[in-house]
Amino acid sequence: MPGRMRNPPSTSIAEFQKLLKASNRVLALCGAGLSAASGLPTFRGAGGLWRNHQATDLATPDAFEDDPALVWLFYSWRRHLALKAKPNAGHYALAELAKKNKNFMCLTQNVDGLSPRAGHSPDMLRMLHGNLFDVKCFDEECSYIEPNNLRDPLCPSLAPASEDYPVDQTLPLLDPKKPTPQIKHEDLPQCPSCKSAGRTSLLRPGVVWFDEPLDEAMLDEVDAWVKKEPIDVMLVIGTAAAVWPAAGYTEKARTKGARIAVINPDPNAQKGLTSNDFFFDADAAEILPELFDGVIGKLEIPDQAN
Ligand code: APR
């Protein structure tokens, strides 16, 4: 926990509501904390371990090359959780803000698809780190991709990741004392395009892994948006802001005049903020509807029954 700050950020909800109402260009950077209230684990907090592996260690091309079955089981489990999860009030509030303010650009690092499912217009949402439900060829030379493949399990061998278990019991796959299911290479998802060309390549999740570049055209477009005109407010929601280039947008927005508003229950997340900025030590799902209230009005959450 940081020591007493010399110029602490404002924590006034009323002051922020006034600012947002008077704002034109608004940028947001979202992270795993936005989906925490939907029951999806974050990467770096509690729950960052998966079968004794750091979640971030499984998110690399090298990890996939070394043990594609393990990485596929990890991502299949995340696909299953995300499919079962429902967007929360934070996702809906952001989607509503995008409807009300056509100058609101939302960048999300989340690959769980909950923002699109909350009706966040794709024109105003950039999924910086890809999408769990896009499945593409691991061979960089091959352009095969299946967008929005919601099959669960993706193939029979990955079924252990899609089992539903009572909340008081551990899914066998997640118990590090139990052996990892052994899956033969040929039973993992195969690229049909490579297969018809006589090659064998595995399919992989369409997310951006560590050591991989983000989509260049998307980054150019976001940079052009940022540079175009002054920015009034930058929202930094539920992210440890530890991964680049995403983490760099806050300072870019600041150079365009933005006041920064961080929404994060971790007091360390207010590091670098000044008295001109805002810090809301809260669950994003709880506070975003209130923070946006003056622009979006009372948030209606659709009936989410499956
Ligand atoms: N509301 C708001 N913030 C929350 C909540 C909540 N209910 N719960 C947790 N948080 C905060 C945590 O305090 C933490 O600062 O969300 C942040 C989550 O941080 P990370 O787990 O590091 O997730 P994120 O910042 O999204 O990670 C960025 O790293 O692993 C890669 O590609 C992956 O997109 C991911 C990227």
Side-chain angles (χ1 to χ4, degrees):
M1 180 146 159
R4 189 184 290 258
M5 294 175 77
R6 210 182 287 157
N7 295 305
S10 168
T11 55
S12 163
I13 292 178
E15 198 192 325
F16 179 81
Q17 288 170 329
K18 213 165 114 197
L19 170 69
L20 191 68
K21 213 167 169 189
S23 292
N24 173 25
R25 296 215 327 141
V26 178
L27 182 64
L29 174 70
C30 305
L34 173 63
S35 297
S38 296
L40 301 184
T42 59
F43 293 93
R44 291 175 183 79
L49 272 189
W50 191 83
R51 282 193 66 93
N52 284 350
H53 298 276
Q54 286 292 342
T56 44
D57 289 347
L58 296 172
T60 71
D62 283 351
F64 189 80
E65 211 140 18
D66 286 353
D67 194 344
L70 181 73
V71 174
W72 254 127
L73 283 165
F74 172 60
Y75 279 95
S76 300
W77 171 75
R78 291 185 58 198
R79 282 168 57 95
H80 181 69
L81 278 193
L83 278 175
K84 272 199 326 184
K86 292 171 180 160
N88 64 52
H91 299 105
Y92 284 109
L94 286 160
E96 213 43 45
L97 187 63
K99 284 181 197 148
K100 293 286 189 303
N101 180 353
K102 296 295 166 209
N103 289 317
F104 168 43
M105 171 62 86
C106 184
L107 313 176
T108 185
Q109 300 166 88
N110 297 345
V111 294
D112 54 35
L114 292 182
S115 286
R117 278 173 54 198
H120 201 129
S121 163
D123 295 347
M124 305 172 77
L125 178 70
R126 294 291 172 272
M127 296 179 69
L128 296 178
H129 295 170
N131 186 333
L132 269 179
F133 299 101
D134 290 347
V135 177
K136 63 182 190 181
C137 186
F138 184 61
D139 183 346
E140 283 170 17
E141 309 280 297
C142 173
S143 55
Y144 181 81
I145 180 160
E146 289 169 16
N148 211 27
N149 177 334
L150 304 180
R151 215 176 316 132
D152 181 34
L154 195 53
C155 62
S157 65
L158 295 170
S162 298
E163 283 178 69
D164 284 320
Y165 247 66
V167 274
D168 57 341
Q169 289 178 36
T170 309
L171 176 69
L173 176 67
L174 298 187
D175 183 350
K177 289 193 236 64
K178 298 208 166 87
T180 321
Q182 291 304 301
I183 305 175
K184 290 199 210 108
H185 199 274
E186 59 268 30
D187 292 334
L188 287 169
Q190 309 284 325
C191 173
S193 174
C194 286
K195 197 172 177 185
S196 61
R199 299 188 300 270
T200 52
S201 307
L202 291 180
L203 293 174
R204 56 162 280 182
V207 298
V208 179
W209 282 331
F210 289 103
D211 305 329
E212 291 187 319
L214 276 66
D215 184 288
E216 210 173 308
M218 178 177 58
L219 291 184
D220 287 348
E221 191 202 353
V222 174
D223 278 341
W225 188 95
V226 168
K227 283 189 191 135
K228 197 166 66 178
E229 281 167 35
I231 300 174
D232 301 292
V233 180
M234 163 98 200
L235 299 155
V236 182
I237 304 166
T239 176
V243 171
W244 293 75
Y249 286 111
T250 307
E251 285 314 308
K252 285 187 184 178
R254 203 188 274 291
T255 63
K256 298 300 289 180
R259 294 174 71 182
I260 315 298
V262 170
I263 294 98
N264 196 316
D266 177 359
N268 291 305
Q270 64 189 303
K271 213 173 126 212
L273 296 184
T274 71
S275 54
N276 196 36
D277 299 323
F278 293 85
F279 179 62
F280 300 106
D281 158 9
D283 172 15
E286 269 183 33
I287 203 166
L288 289 180
E290 190 179 358
L291 291 178
F292 300 170
D293 185 71
V295 180
I296 67 174
K298 188 170 159 18
L299 185 67
E300 302 280 342
I301 302 210
D303 181 6
Q304 299 184 47
N306 284 323

